[in-house]
Amino acid sequence: QVQLVQSGAEVKKPGASVKVSCKASGYTFTSYGISWVRQAPGQGLEWMGWISAYNGNTNYAQKLQGRVTMTTDTSTSTAYMELRSLRSDDTAVYYCARGRFGTTIDYWGQGTLVTVSS
Amino acid sequence: QSALTQPPSASGSPGQSVTISCTGTSSDVGGYNYVSWYQQHPGKAPKLMIYEVSKRPSGVPDRFSGSKSGNTASLTVSGLQAEDEADYYCSSYAGSNNLYVFGTGTKVTVL
């Protein structure tokens, strides 16, 4: 069965960076991409970007351009999302989710809480 | 890219039906047939309920159905059950610049 298992919760200070991992299993990793979606406390879902696990091509949400980097390691079927220059409003649960370019996001990871606080 | 517009809340008694709307533009909902609906229980990850406007993944009850007209998509939950009480989000492909946009979310309450 398809599973996406994410790394644990993080607490960061403003201005710092965070890197969240997402280990995939149960399917051919390079046949799909990974989207990252975040959800601030009590708020809705916000798409952050997508990376192809086949060739590493990326597509980032315009509001995060320059602060976010998504990568993959095909040897371990793991995707990573790094967010820099953290602010308090980056406090959210960050999800990875599987999907091909422009099509359905189907399976989701369990989420990683990132708290930004001084 | 603005979020798709959903009503904040919807409710119904057990056995009744509830329909949630999701309004976008011709650049997202109206322009593509990649509209999905997700169910999210408190503290849990979203779960795919409907994809490509009206298709149901394996394991999703046929009480859940989707449709689209113009720039508005809809999710209908028939025969409401207690476990259907959750937040529901729509999403749509939005073109090659910002791939996806999500709806504002609707809290469904089973009375």
Side-chain angles (χ1 to χ4, degrees):
Chain A
Q1 73 284 18
V2 175
Q3 280 194 311
L4 299 171
V5 179
Q6 300 183 221
S7 49
E10 303 261 14
V11 179
K12 296 291 182 181
K13 293 193 182 304
S17 299
V18 69
K19 192 170 186 177
V20 179
S21 67
C22 169
K23 184 171 177 58
S25 62
Y27 71 98
T28 302
F29 184 63
T30 51
S31 293
Y32 291 81
I34 294 287
S35 272
W36 289 88
V37 178
R38 68 181 180 178
Q39 186 171 35
Q43 302 301 308
L45 302 170
E46 178 188 14
W47 179 76
M48 301 176 64
W50 175 90
I51 181 167
S52 166
Y54 174 71
N55 58 16
N57 285 350
T58 55
N59 187 301
Y60 300 139
Q62 288 181 346
K63 71 173 285 188
L64 294 173
Q65 290 268 6
R67 282 210 301 142
V68 67
T69 300
M70 297 176 187
T71 56
T72 59
D73 181 344
T74 56
S75 68
T76 59
S77 298
T78 303
Y80 299 90
M81 185 283 300
E82 181 179 34
L83 189 60
R84 300 177 292 279
S85 302
L86 289 169
R87 310 186 289 247
S88 58
D89 62 357
D90 291 319
T91 294
V93 175
Y94 289 75
Y95 294 100
C96 62
R98 188 185 80 161
R100 291 193 170 104
F101 182 90
T103 66
T104 302
I105 296 174
D106 52 12
Y107 290 92
W108 296 64
Q110 85 276 18
T112 296
L113 176 62
V114 175
T115 303
V116 182
S117 173
S118 55
Chain B
Q1 187 76 37
S2 299
L4 307 175
T5 301
Q6 297 180 233
S9 62
S11 63
S13 299
Q16 289 187 331
S17 295
V18 65
T19 296
I20 304 165
S21 61
C22 168
T23 302
T25 69
S26 58
S27 297
D28 38 64
V29 174
Y32 308 97
N33 284 325
Y34 286 107
V35 175
S36 301
W37 289 91
Y38 300 92
Q39 177 191 67
Q40 187 180 35
H41 287 108
K44 299 295 187 181
K47 175 187 175 184
L48 180 66
M49 304 302 284
I50 296 288
Y51 68 101
E52 293 179 18
V53 176
S54 60
K55 298 178 181 178
R56 272 179 292 105
S58 173
V60 172
D62 59 7
R63 302 184 293 103
F64 291 85
S65 62
S67 63
K68 189 184 85 166
S69 178
N71 296 337
T72 298
S74 298
L75 172 72
T76 297
V77 186
S78 306
L80 270 174
Q81 298 183 6
E83 60 262 34
D84 300 333
E85 185 162 294
D87 293 325
Y88 291 82
Y89 293 91
C90 61
S91 79
S92 174
Y93 177 65
S96 58
N97 285 331
N98 279 289
L99 282 188
Y100 297 101
V101 59
F102 284 94
T104 50
T106 298
K107 181 174 181 59
V108 169
T109 301
V110 181
L111 301 171

